Amino acid sequence: MSRRPRRRFGVGHLAGWLFADLMLVLFLVAMAVQPRAQIAVGKTPEKRPTPDGPRVLGQEFCEFMIPVRADGLLGGASSARADLLAKVRSALRGDRPSWLHGPEMHTKAGRASCDRQLRDDLKVGFFLVYGAQADVNRGVQLGQKAAKAIRTGDDRFGEAIYRAAWTGGEGGDAVQIITFFYQN
């Protein structure tokens, strides 16, 4: 009868277990020295804190189709620019629900999200402006002129990045504006 050799743990095996135990102890010590989280129960902050880090752009948006004086905007008329800015401000106040455009804005959830963002008076972080014209070149130019006028003429758009393009003949002499707001 042969005897089976007895298995012995080597030094390397013991070192591995000691290392694992040491890591577990260090983890528990690190967790124990962390300060407790303070949770305010029933208190609503009166004022929004100023963000410390980078701005956060929300995924939800508002989309409008705003009628404009396209020939005046393309020609550089200041009255057409002022008219556009007045209409954009009216849309951002929520005064013209008929200007809400797109399938998302006609659902209950999309409309509620847009209304909340408009009510909170959030700054615009990114916006798209599409010129609604039958001609591609005129549509792109209308989008570009409208975007520049909006960005320089309205404080809520002052820090925003924008892109302008053409949306086809839908809406004729209008601009389609899709706005994404900063959430902080």
Side-chain angles (χ1 to χ4, degrees):
M1 242 166 113
S2 69
R3 277 183 137 187
R4 279 190 154 167
R6 214 169 165 183
R7 212 175 199 194
R8 291 187 152 191
F9 292 110
V11 176
H13 188 77
L14 289 175
W17 277 107
L18 287 174
F19 180 73
D21 289 344
L22 176 66
M23 292 305 295
L24 179 62
V25 168
L26 289 175
F27 175 74
L28 292 174
V29 169
M31 292 291 290
V33 299
Q34 294 294 320
R36 290 191 135 191
Q38 299 293 327
I39 301 174
V41 179
K43 290 187 178 180
T44 309
E46 294 176 18
K47 198 171 137 183
R48 279 192 181 158
T50 306
D52 294 338
R55 305 290 307 260
V56 177
L57 191 65
Q59 294 179 354
E60 298 169 339
F61 60 91
C62 290
E63 182 177 348
F64 306 98
M65 182 68 81
I66 300 175
V68 296
R69 293 190 279 170
D71 291 333
L73 276 174
L74 290 170
S78 60
S79 61
R81 182 180 185 275
D83 179 60
L84 169 66
L85 290 173
K87 288 177 177 178
V88 167
R89 288 183 189 114
S90 178
L92 291 179
R93 283 192 307 268
D95 296 343
R96 301 299 295 259
S98 64
W99 288 347
L100 287 172
H101 181 71
E104 293 88 358
M105 296 298 105
H106 295 296
T107 65
K108 194 174 188 178
R111 178 67 185 271
S113 167
C114 182
D115 287 343
R116 179 186 47 79
Q117 292 180 96
L118 295 177
R119 185 179 53 252
D120 289 348
D121 200 32
L122 301 173
K123 293 262 187 194
V124 176
F126 177 71
F127 67 105
L128 301 163
V129 180
Y130 297 98
Q133 294 282 299
D135 179 54
V136 176
N137 290 331
R138 257 179 82 85
V140 171
Q141 288 174 358
L142 178 61
Q144 289 171 341
K145 297 264 185 176
K148 287 178 184 174
I150 293 168
R151 184 158 188 255
T152 59
D154 192 306
D155 291 340
R156 285 179 75 175
F157 289 83
E159 301 171 16
I161 297 169
Y162 68 89
R163 294 291 176 260
W166 170 68
T167 190
E170 181 187 346
D173 286 350
V175 290
Q176 179 182 358
I177 302 172
I178 303 172
T179 56
F180 293 86
F181 298 91
Y182 284 127
Q183 298 302 306
N184 60 348

